Amino acid sequence: MSILITGIGELTTNDDELGELAEAAVVLDGERVAWVGAATAAPDADERVDVGGRAVLPGWVDSHTHLLFAGDRTAEFSARMAGKPYQAGGIAVTVEATRAADDDVLLKNLLLHVAEARRQGTTTIETKTGYGLTVADEVRAARIAASVADEVTFLGAHLVPAGSDAESYVDLVCGEMLAEVAPFVRWADVFCETGAFDEQQSRKVLKAAQAAGLGLRVHGNQLGPGPGVRLAVELGAASVDHCTHLTRSDVDSLAGSETVATLLPACDLSTRQPLPDARALIDAGATVALASNCNPGSSYTSSMAFCVATAVLQMRMSVAEAVRAATWGGARALRRESGDGAVGVIRVGARADLHVLDAPSTTHLAYRPGVPLTHSVYRKGTRLA
């Protein structure tokens, strides 16, 4: 069934030819966008929806989350707010709870968080394993995540589990664990950070994943300067995520590469880290994405609108830059921004994902921070909210 969405006051397409349109309309036909243009020239469709001058943009593309978990880390958060520094080792608390939970609990939690995100306009979600850290638990996480999420990433190299030797664990990740998880995932990731995995260990994990045919992602440069960005660019990773502490060389390296710098501002606020220098990255020509990093320890939010508002108000991004980073940028980080069924963009042939704001322009996302502005959401041509 085709649907004509008309009465669009401002349409953000992220398409280089279409640009931003005023008084626009979009036709959805099944799971694809069938037509985009001026409302006065819109063709007929089976159903007509007038959004009354509201702004429409692509659905948010959240390219970095950790939604497959059990347990609660409010005590850690409270301690951090009282002055205790964030450390990577807090992940172990979630690992213990996740291992103890049965499949039904993990699936229920995942579905609740995905539904929460979709109600706020997120139509494409990546999520990771990484709270199991045994072969059986990582495979279980990947299998459950693959039944719900758009993209799944293997993050066996999230932390060396308690009682394990680092080198032996890396061998496990690169061997049996990778082989068993690979059928359920498209990507592999590594937490290249002090307290997690060093450069040599990270390189070994990434090269093994690459040899297994998986795309690469990297957690890098979160807690301080380090080799994460350099390693990601060297190995052709699709994205390096966090990028909180960058040198000039890191910025230039990203600008000269196809690797997306995925910024996670909600995490930096929650861990009381400095916010990434988005302005330096954009001005240098690097591709930037914004993502929620929704997880129970360091960024327990699924609100991409919050990330956009933070990027504008505190990271010196323009509204247009932040919206593009949270849609097209995330899609680019997942290599889903082009071709049939592309996400993060509104053009003929793209997936029919629309986010209708209860506002006349995307500027209101930062102009009215914290105000729920999602009017309705379409995913694959079906209205969700």
Side-chain angles (χ1 to χ4, degrees):
M1 184 181 75
S2 59
I3 305 172
L4 169 62
I5 311 292
T6 190
I8 301 171
E10 176 191 274
L11 177 65
T12 300
T13 70
N14 287 336
D15 181 83
D16 291 339
E17 293 185 9
L18 292 170
E20 184 181 291
L21 302 176
E23 303 302 322
V26 176
V27 174
L28 312 180
D29 192 352
E31 294 188 0
R32 297 290 184 265
V33 175
W35 184 89
V36 184
T40 54
D44 291 331
D46 298 321
E47 180 182 345
R48 179 187 179 99
V49 176
D50 190 330
V51 297
R54 292 179 172 88
V56 174
L57 62 151
W60 301 128
V61 179
D62 195 348
S63 61
H64 184 127
T65 77
H66 303 255
L67 299 181
L68 209 294
F69 69 88
D72 178 273
R73 283 162 67 184
T74 52
E76 175 190 327
F77 176 80
S78 296
R80 197 161 61 242
M81 295 304 100
K84 183 178 179 180
Y86 173 73
Q87 295 178 328
I91 293 163
V93 175
T94 302
V95 170
E96 182 179 0
T98 302
R99 287 177 177 176
D102 63 28
D103 288 12
D104 289 343
V105 168
L106 294 179
L107 178 59
K108 180 181 178 181
N109 286 348
L110 175 61
L111 290 170
L112 285 171
H113 287 98
V114 169
E116 177 184 270
R118 286 179 178 169
R119 287 194 299 270
Q120 300 173 83
T122 299
T123 52
T124 302
I125 295 178
E126 179 269 4
T127 200
K128 308 176 195 298
T129 70
Y131 292 133
L133 308 187
T134 67
V135 173
D137 285 305
E138 285 295 293
V139 171
R140 178 173 72 138
R143 172 176 50 79
I144 294 171
S147 72
V148 177
D150 298 272
E151 298 277 349
V152 183
T153 300
F154 169 46
L155 185 56
H158 201 182
L159 191 75
V160 178
S164 298
D165 168 73
E167 297 306 322
S168 297
Y169 182 70
V170 168
D171 288 341
L172 178 66
V173 169
C174 295
E176 182 185 0
M177 191 181 287
L178 173 61
E180 293 292 326
V181 170
F184 299 100
V185 304
R186 185 180 172 208
W187 305 96
D189 199 342
V190 61
F191 193 7
C192 182
E193 194 67 65
T194 300
F197 297 89
D198 64 22
E199 180 175 0
Q200 181 179 355
Q201 294 162 341
S202 298
R203 184 187 303 277
K204 185 174 181 177
V205 169
L206 293 170
K207 295 194 82 168
Q210 198 168 50
L214 300 183
L216 305 183
R217 327 189 69 74
V218 176
H219 280 60
N221 300 65
Q222 177 188 3
L223 304 179
V229 167
R230 175 166 44 80
L231 190 58
V233 171
E234 175 191 331
L235 296 180
S239 179
V240 55
D241 301 19
H242 285 290
C243 297
T244 309
H245 298 272
L246 300 181
T247 64
R248 185 69 238 180
S249 176
D250 290 330
V251 172
D252 292 341
S253 181
L254 285 164
S257 77
E258 296 297 312
T259 300
V260 175
T262 299
L263 311 183
L264 311 172
C267 177
D268 295 311
L269 290 175
S270 178
T271 57
R272 291 186 168 165
Q273 295 284 304
L275 289 162
D277 192 346
R279 191 74 266 143
L281 287 162
I282 294 169
D283 290 347
T287 300
V288 169
L290 290 171
S292 74
N293 190 25
C294 186
N295 75 83
S298 63
S299 185
Y300 199 12
T301 180
S302 57
S303 175
M304 289 291 283
F306 174 70
C307 297
V308 166
T310 300
V312 174
L313 297 173
Q314 298 193 50
M315 294 163 60
R316 298 192 298 137
M317 293 177 74
S318 70
V319 172
E321 289 169 340
V323 167
R324 184 174 175 84
T327 51
W328 185 91
R332 177 61 184 159
L334 297 171
R335 299 300 191 254
R336 294 186 63 157
E337 85 289 358
S338 63
D340 180 57
V343 299
V345 64
I346 299 173
R347 60 166 173 256
V348 173
R351 203 169 81 177
D353 295 352
L354 303 181
H355 183 191
V356 183
L357 297 182
D358 205 1
S361 73
T362 56
T363 300
H364 283 239
L365 290 163
Y367 180 49
R368 305 195 68 207
V371 176
L373 292 178
T374 296
H375 172 271
S376 52
V377 182
Y378 292 82
R379 182 177 184 271
K380 295 184 178 181
T382 298
R383 182 168 176 170
L384 305 180

